[in-house]
Amino acid sequence: MQKRARTLLGSLTAALLIGLVPVGVSAEGYWQCVPFARLMSGIQIFGDARTWWSQAVSNKYETGGTPQAGSVLCFKPTSRMRLGHVAVVSQVLTDRVIQITHANWSIIEGDRGQVEKDVTVVDVSPGGDWTQVKVWYDPVRDLGTTVYPTYGFIYQNAQAVATAAVTSKIALAQDAAVAMAQSAASQVVNTLRPGGSPMGLLGQMADSGDRIAALIAAAAAGQPEAGQPTQR
């Protein structure tokens, strides 16, 4: 009975965690650069990364050669990167060095489609205009040797900023929900005893699931969860 209960708990917990994965990422955690950049920046451009620059102009997003936090660095297609690439600027360190957060760049532990947070990009263009860059490559734990041509930066508009803010709240809620699910699973497993009631186990899990759902719903609505103080 105890073994069967543990198996049931593992299956239900896995289903719960898969349900918490954001839209655009598979259950295996494989991200493409475009949906990830769109989600994190709030810039609502679709299609291959190589088309983002031309679309930005027609969609009335401002563009330029100066990095700003929250903007999207748009890479030109090359023979090795035919679809181009997009990455979100997370921090501007100097006029020639930034940090980006992006997806599907480095091969990490043998897998593609990974997210890399706050990795270094250096402007190596002769004119200092960010038209040529080198990017951190995780397998060598340093900047890669390849020089990549870029179009420049696509800047967030007011709507993009608002969308990114909502995404951030939901992401925080999801992180809290995952931690809560892990804690609940651990507590339930630790309290299992031979002869325990399966219905009691499911009841505890249902209570945890309701709590997690309420947490995410409150974040999506931009309101504090019931019983939580409003932040100032």
Side-chain angles (χ1 to χ4, degrees):
M1 175 65 73
Q2 187 174 14
K3 182 177 180 180
R4 290 180 61 187
R6 287 176 184 270
T7 301
L8 174 62
L9 176 61
S11 299
L12 292 176
T13 301
L16 175 62
L17 295 181
I18 290 172
L20 292 173
V21 175
V23 174
V25 62
S26 72
E28 291 77 22
Y30 189 102
W31 280 101
Q32 295 285 0
C33 69
V34 166
F36 182 80
R38 183 169 56 246
L39 180 69
M40 298 303 295
S41 69
I43 294 175
Q44 296 302 296
I45 298 178
F46 296 79
D48 292 337
R50 64 185 178 185
T51 70
W52 272 46
W53 189 257
S54 60
Q55 287 194 67
V57 176
S58 61
N59 282 286
K60 299 182 179 179
Y61 287 100
E62 293 186 8
T63 60
T66 302
Q68 295 179 8
S71 63
V72 171
L73 177 58
C74 192
F75 291 71
K76 293 181 178 180
T78 67
S79 59
R80 296 173 56 186
M81 192 171 66
R82 294 180 296 105
L83 298 180
H85 185 70
V86 284
V88 179
V89 178
S90 48
Q91 188 174 1
V92 179
L93 301 180
T94 73
D95 59 347
R96 304 294 294 268
V97 182
I98 62 175
Q99 289 184 329
I100 61 171
T101 296
H102 63 161
N104 201 23
W105 185 267
S106 297
I107 299 174
I108 301 176
E109 297 181 353
D111 293 327
R112 293 188 177 275
Q114 304 300 302
V115 171
E116 294 177 88
K117 182 179 179 182
D118 298 335
V119 295
T120 302
V121 176
V122 177
D123 172 25
V124 295
S125 60
D129 56 6
W130 287 93
T131 54
Q132 294 178 312
V133 299
K134 286 188 175 182
V135 183
W136 175 271
Y137 188 57
D138 192 77
V140 299
R141 304 300 298 168
D142 202 348
L143 289 175
T145 57
T146 302
V147 175
Y148 291 93
T150 74
Y151 292 107
F153 300 91
I154 302 173
Y155 304 119
Q156 295 171 302
N157 57 19
Q159 182 179 0
V161 171
T163 301
V166 171
T167 298
S168 177
K169 288 182 180 180
I170 294 176
L172 289 173
Q174 288 174 333
D175 287 344
V178 169
M180 187 181 298
Q182 292 172 335
S183 176
S186 177
Q187 291 175 17
V188 172
V189 169
N190 289 337
T191 57
L192 282 175
R193 294 181 177 84
S197 168
M199 293 307 297
L201 168 62
L202 292 175
Q204 293 179 61
M205 294 180 65
D207 290 342
S208 298
D210 290 343
R211 173 75 170 168
I212 292 167
L215 184 67
I216 294 177
Q223 299 175 351
E225 184 187 2
Q228 297 294 326
T230 302
Q231 294 184 354
R232 296 182 180 273

